[in-house]
Amino acid sequence: MQEEVKINTEYITLGQLVKRLNILESGGMVKSYLQDVGAIVNGELEHRRGRKLYTNDVVEIEDVGSYIVKKED
């Protein structure tokens, strides 16, 4: 089951998403985590924290969960 992450902009970056989920304590930790471990975005491994995520993009974070980006109504 994927948890929805609502955005009110056209896109959110991968780094912003991870920080918003409060998985890690700081932006520096997010940067380091994404460089070292990465996240699965739409089935592909991604290490760029600046990767733009749009509506219906699926992000899987190891040992944390799966999230789908949705536009706020």
Side-chain angles (χ1 to χ4, degrees), residues 9-23:
T9 56
E10 182 183 352
Y11 65 87
I12 186 171
T13 66
L14 180 57
Q16 289 172 330
L17 177 82
V18 174
K19 190 164 183 185
R20 184 171 167 180
L21 295 172
N22 291 320
I23 297 166

Side-chain angles (χ1 to χ4, degrees), residues 32-71:
S32 178
Y33 178 84
L34 289 175
Q35 285 177 341
D36 295 344
V37 179
I40 306 295
V41 178
N42 298 328
E44 296 182 12
L45 184 59
E46 183 62 70
H47 290 281
R48 297 174 296 160
R49 66 184 170 136
R51 164 74 186 261
K52 294 177 181 175
L53 304 171
Y54 297 91
T55 300
N56 296 324
D57 279 348
V58 176
V59 178
E60 297 173 49
I61 301 173
E62 187 178 327
D63 298 327
V64 177
S66 182
Y67 303 89
I68 186 163
V69 178
K70 290 290 184 181
K71 185 83 167 166

